[in-house]
Amino acid sequence: MPELNKRQKAAAQYIDGPLLVLAGAGSGKTRVITHKISYLIKECGYKAINIAAVTFTNKAAKEMKHRVGEMLSGKESYGLKVSTFHTLGLNLLKREYKQADLRQGFSIADTSDVQSIIKDLLSSLGGDDMDIVKQIQWKISAWKNDFIFPQQAMATAEEPQEKLAAGVYEQYQKTLRTYNFVDFDDLILLPVAILKDNPGILERWQNKLRYLLVDECQDTNQCQYDFIKLLIGQRGCLTVVGDDDQSIYAWRGARPENLATLDQDFPGLKVIKLEQNYRSMLRILNTANVLIANNLHQYEKKLWSELGHGDPIRIIRCRNEEHEAEQVVNELLAHKFRNRTDFRDYAVLYRSNYQSRLIEKIFREHRVPYFMSGGTSFFDAAEIKDIMGYLRILGNPDDDMAFLRVINTPRREIGNATIEKLANYAKQRNTSLYHASREMGLQQALPEKAYKNIIQFTEWLSRVREHAESIDIPTALGEMIIDIRYEEWLKDTCADLRSAEKRMENVNELIDWIGNIQKNDDNNGDKKSLSELVNHLALINMLEKQGEENEADSVSMMTLHGVKGLEFPHVYIIGMEEEILPHKNSMSEEGLEEERRLAYVGITRAQRTLTFTYAARRRKYGEIIECEPSRFLNELPEEDVEWRGRSADRNPEEEKERGQAHLANLKGLLE
């Protein structure tokens, strides 16, 4: 392993017991994981089929799998599992579904499905306010992450709103089972429950997974950590990679203390620290080290680099938020012009999404291309939702959300009154809409024509389902789209022909993508059924929203939470003020430590230069208020930072005029 440094090599070759690799930012942790997988297979006699590596995003999993594939040859990598936690949970669940009271072909409920179910349950209690729906959704997710079931939630709930959420939780779980649904959190909760309650199944899976590698362990919640412990058992064949200084997801259940309890759960745990950074200049790393030293640590580490000292970290005081936006764009364009860089070399980071508005405005005014992370997903397009609705109902007939989506897309002369009567009948019979529509008793609940239209639709669905199981899925899907005259329906309902054509292009892209997935699966000996394919696509949609990338030549704009795992030559972090960073809702000791880690993550994204900005005054709720610089700025090492604008303000009109002239000049030169 000549390309690894001494500590990386030690971590890759250590197999004598459980190992924690404390990997600082930019220290090459992916390199260690991939080399270790290769070492286990080539040198230690492990079979790829008995190894699993888990992480949190599809992007990270794909990168790992690609790198391992380059190191192994022939069939050495056959059966290797490199995936997200949720994909591993789904793989277990589709084999052990009966133990979770599921039926074959279960579906994964997406966010809109979950909110729709909770909203319906709240409506029966006399309210369906969307803010309350989202609060209950978050609370149910938090309970599941902590391995808390409805009965336990009900027993421990104290406040009225918590009791309401616990009551909804119980009914919500029953509704999921009726629809043969699982939600995103169930993909970990249910496998953990199955393994805990079934010693035989636990032993089988422990024998199946002889070695487990876990990436970003500091981001695991209680349920995910239990999943790791159950799969490993007493063998201790485990390598965990993590960085407690980059744990920034406590708000969604992550427990950085999981790193601290590893030595209790896995006796004999060895710790190897990766402190050499291959990303950033020394000043940037020194700034990060000094800042994060204000947090308590079980394991101390200090990042260092051989890339050179670098420029001072700049801290720019601005008069107000408008001036801050102008300064950032002014500085960015001037730097780009002087250094002949690309727009993609720059990132503007912020604590909350609302902070991006003014920067966007100035970028647009000066025709600076930019990329906003968190944009609309391919799966959010109406036409993709339509076709995915058909795929879902074909894979799982009990999927009521999909049934309602497709029953009148395109129109089939089945009105809202008919659907409402069908839904009431299904509720009385405690069954899904699809199965209710095939019961003889429905004939008494509907007018003759309405009943005939429903029967015609469900019989057609049954024929398409049978056909899809007998041929390849892309062909069946293409034939179904022609059968329902979907392209003609788009032309009839879209504002213009070009819009209809573009939407149909998206549909064809989806079909081609499904064909490529199926082809790759066939080549790997992992042919998916229709329901498995639908769940695979649903999981991709949920996970890929966490990992969007800027592929064009444009400035990246994103939150500090969203930038983790990325790096940029030049970084601007705006809004470095008290009550913004640290956030006003995170002023407890524990909250401040996480906010400091958030700032640390932002700092360590920068490769060559780093700039902070803050406003002296800011408009809030219609009033102009004085702002206090973030306490984190005062924690930075004086020898590495350069303050600008703290002396008496220049004449605002002169500065504005000079700035506008400079921008106009730069703009002309760039063009």
Side-chain angles (χ1 to χ4, degrees):
M1 303 179 183
E3 62 269 46
L4 302 189
N5 65 38
K6 186 176 179 181
R7 290 190 183 179
Q8 289 173 334
K9 187 173 181 179
Q13 294 183 338
Y14 183 79
I15 60 166
D16 294 335
L19 172 67
L20 167 59
V21 181
L22 202 65
S27 62
K29 65 182 177 65
T30 303
R31 193 183 308 170
V32 169
I33 294 172
T34 52
H35 275 81
K36 184 151 198 170
I37 293 171
S38 175
Y39 182 73
L40 288 168
I41 294 170
K42 285 180 174 288
E43 306 295 335
C44 304
Y46 280 85
K47 293 181 179 178
I49 200 167
N50 298 129
I51 300 173
V54 290
T55 186
F56 281 88
T57 67
N58 276 335
K59 178 191 169 190
K62 284 177 184 175
E63 183 182 356
M64 278 187 209
K65 198 160 191 176
H66 175 71
R67 289 201 201 178
V68 174
E70 291 181 333
M71 296 180 197
L72 302 176
S73 57
K75 294 185 177 180
E76 284 181 326
S77 63
Y78 186 81
L80 176 68
K81 290 168 281 295
V82 181
S83 69
T84 63
F85 273 95
H86 292 87
T87 302
L88 182 62
L90 175 60
N91 287 338
L92 188 150
L93 202 54
K94 71 183 183 184
R95 288 167 175 77
E96 316 293 351
Y97 61 90
K98 291 180 182 177
Q99 303 299 326
D101 195 26
L102 292 166
R103 300 180 295 283
Q104 194 169 17
F106 62 85
S107 297
I108 302 173
D110 63 20
T111 301
S112 60
D113 294 330
V114 169
Q115 290 179 354
S116 179
I117 292 170
I118 294 173
K119 187 176 181 181
D120 286 345
L121 292 171
L122 278 178
S123 296
S124 64
L125 299 173
D128 58 1
D129 182 271
M130 275 309 294
D131 287 337
I132 297 176
V133 168
K134 290 176 181 177
Q135 288 170 19
I136 291 176
Q137 179 188 12
W138 177 86
K139 187 61 181 174
I140 290 173
S141 178
W143 275 323
K144 290 188 175 187
N145 288 338
D146 286 338
F147 200 68
I148 294 173
F149 287 87
Q151 297 84 352
Q152 298 164 273
M154 189 67 79
T156 56
E158 295 179 355
E159 299 296 325
Q161 192 158 340
E162 198 173 24
K163 289 181 178 179
L164 172 65
V168 171
Y169 183 17
E170 185 173 23
Q171 294 303 312
Y172 169 76
Q173 288 299 97
K174 290 178 180 177
T175 305
L176 288 182
R177 295 300 164 267
T178 299
Y179 294 163
N180 203 23
F181 266 5
V182 295
D183 64 20
F184 192 61
D185 299 308
D186 283 335
L187 296 178
I188 307 295
L189 176 80
L190 295 179
V192 169
I194 290 168
L195 295 177
K196 282 186 174 184
D197 296 341
N198 299 273
I201 294 176
L202 175 61
E203 184 180 3
R204 187 166 74 246
W205 278 85
Q206 286 179 344
N207 289 333
K208 192 176 190 138
L209 294 181
R210 307 300 296 178
Y211 204 100
L212 182 64
L213 301 99
V214 180
D215 186 24
E216 305 282 16
C217 188
Q218 78 280 350
D219 292 336
T220 54
N221 57 42
Q222 185 60 54
C223 224
Q224 288 161 340
Y225 187 69
D226 288 346
F227 198 20
I228 295 167
K229 289 196 296 182
L230 287 162
L231 289 171
I232 289 304
Q234 300 301 311
R235 293 195 312 271
C237 296
L238 170 72
T239 293
V240 164
V241 182
D243 181 4
D244 50 348
D245 290 333
Q246 295 190 71
S247 181
I248 57 173
Y249 298 120
W251 52 276
R252 69 183 191 199
R255 295 190 172 208
E257 60 267 29
N258 286 343
L259 282 182
T261 58
L262 278 167
D263 60 347
Q264 300 166 28
D265 294 319
F266 299 97
L269 178 77
K270 183 178 178 66
V271 178
I272 295 177
K273 300 177 185 179
L274 303 184
E275 296 172 297
Q276 182 175 0
N277 176 284
Y278 294 90
R279 172 189 298 160
S280 305
M281 309 301 284
L282 201 52
R283 276 193 197 270
I284 292 169
L285 298 179
N286 191 44
T287 301
N289 288 333
V290 171
L291 174 70
I292 206 65
N294 290 280
N295 279 6
L296 296 174
H297 291 85
Q298 179 172 354
Y299 303 106
E300 297 291 339
K301 69 177 185 305
K302 188 175 181 180
L303 296 176
W304 59 277
S305 169
E306 295 180 341
L307 297 178
H309 209 53
D311 297 334
I313 311 305
R314 295 185 305 159
I315 303 174
I316 303 175
R317 175 187 182 272
C318 307
R319 291 191 306 276
N320 52 43
E321 61 264 48
E322 287 88 359
H323 183 223
E324 180 182 48
E326 291 170 359
Q327 281 287 95
V328 168
V329 178
N330 189 342
E331 293 281 338
L332 189 154
L333 286 174
H335 187 276
K336 182 182 185 303
F337 175 67
R338 286 195 306 269
N339 295 279
R340 302 297 180 186
T341 51
D342 296 322
F343 282 116
R344 65 167 63 89
D345 295 331
Y346 298 86
V348 179
L349 311 179
Y350 33 83
R351 175 63 176 81
S352 303
N353 277 309
Y354 75 87
Q355 294 173 258
S356 67
R357 184 179 59 82
L358 286 172
I359 301 282
E360 279 190 273
K361 178 175 177 287
I362 304 296
F363 275 156
R364 286 196 300 268
E365 287 176 359
H366 295 283
R367 292 188 284 177
V368 174
Y370 64 91
F371 168 84
M372 286 281 293
S373 180
T376 302
S377 163
F378 175 72
F379 287 91
D380 289 335
E383 61 276 12
I384 301 303
K385 281 181 172 287
D386 290 343
I387 305 307
M388 285 298 296
Y390 275 105
L391 278 171
R392 284 171 54 176
I393 195 68
L394 293 175
N396 173 19
D398 293 325
D399 187 335
D400 278 7
M401 303 298 166
F403 187 94
L404 292 172
R405 175 101 200 174
V406 305
I407 193 170
N408 262 330
T409 306
R411 293 284 178 192
R412 292 187 175 88
E413 298 183 3
I414 300 173
N416 290 336
T418 299
I419 294 171
E420 187 175 346
K421 288 175 183 177
L422 172 61
N424 289 335
Y425 177 82
K427 191 172 182 179
Q428 291 169 8
R429 299 285 296 160
N430 192 29
T431 189
S432 67
L433 296 173
Y434 177 82
H435 282 289
S437 65
R438 296 175 68 80
E439 289 188 2
M440 293 295 294
L442 180 65
Q443 193 166 4
Q444 278 70 51
L446 293 176
E448 183 180 349
K449 185 178 180 183
Y451 176 72
K452 183 179 177 182
N453 288 340
I454 290 283
I455 291 297
Q456 190 174 0
F457 171 64
T458 52
E459 286 180 348
W460 173 81
L461 267 182
S462 296
R463 290 195 301 273
V464 175
R465 284 190 74 214
E466 290 174 7
H467 187 52
E469 294 293 345
S470 64
I471 63 171
D472 67 282
I473 295 170
T475 301
L477 190 56
E479 291 176 0
M480 185 202 73
I481 289 168
I482 293 171
D483 193 22
I484 62 176
R485 300 173 62 84
Y486 189 78
E487 186 170 5
E488 289 86 341
W489 182 73
L490 286 178
K491 290 176 181 177
D492 290 340
T493 55
C494 287
D496 53 68
L497 182 60
R498 179 64 195 124
S499 176
E501 288 173 347
K502 185 154 185 62
R503 290 177 66 181
M504 196 61 205
E505 285 172 10
N506 286 340
V507 171
N508 291 330
E509 183 181 339
L510 176 65
I511 297 171
D512 290 342
W513 187 25
I514 290 171
N516 289 333
I517 290 172
Q518 197 168 45
K519 184 178 178 181
N520 290 335
D521 289 343
D522 290 345
N523 291 338
N524 295 327
D526 182 29
K527 186 175 177 64
K528 289 182 175 66
S529 68
L530 181 58
S531 59
E532 289 171 347
L533 176 68
V534 173
N535 284 335
H536 176 72
L537 292 170
L539 200 52
I540 286 176
N541 180 29
M542 293 176 189
L543 292 168
E544 296 247 328
K545 287 182 177 180
Q546 304 168 12
E548 297 155 312
E549 280 192 83
N550 178 10
E551 296 181 355
D553 184 22
S554 51
V555 179
S556 290
M557 297 181 64
M558 62 188 73
T559 65
L560 288 162
H561 284 104
V563 77
K564 191 160 172 285
L566 303 177
E567 57 188 50
F568 302 91
H570 312 288
V571 169
Y572 296 81
I573 303 178
I574 67 173
M576 288 295 293
E577 300 149 35
E578 290 290 294
E579 299 195 352
I580 294 181
L581 185 67
H583 194 274
K584 63 182 178 181
N585 295 334
S586 302
M587 293 301 182
S588 65
E589 183 177 345
E590 189 176 312
L592 282 172
E593 289 211 342
E594 173 138 342
E595 292 292 294
R596 191 176 283 113
R597 292 195 293 268
L598 197 55
Y600 174 87
V601 166
I603 292 169
T604 53
R605 299 311 97 193
Q607 295 171 301
R608 300 189 62 81
T609 70
L610 174 65
T611 304
F612 294 105
T613 64
Y614 70 94
R617 301 170 201 85
R618 196 173 286 271
R619 184 178 294 276
K620 289 184 181 179
Y621 310 114
E623 294 183 14
I624 296 178
I625 64 166
E626 298 291 324
C627 301
E628 185 179 348
S630 169
R631 68 190 71 192
F632 300 151
L633 295 178
N634 293 320
E635 294 175 358
L636 304 182
E638 289 184 12
E639 65 272 18
D640 289 314
V641 301
E642 179 184 276
W643 291 79
R644 283 180 43 189
R646 285 204 296 184
S647 56
D649 285 342
R650 296 171 179 166
N651 181 298
E653 289 302 319
E654 287 181 6
E655 189 173 10
K656 182 177 180 181
E657 186 176 329
R658 184 164 51 249
Q660 288 175 338
H662 183 49
L663 279 172
N665 183 45
L666 281 171
K667 185 177 166 186
L669 287 168
L670 289 168
E671 289 175 344

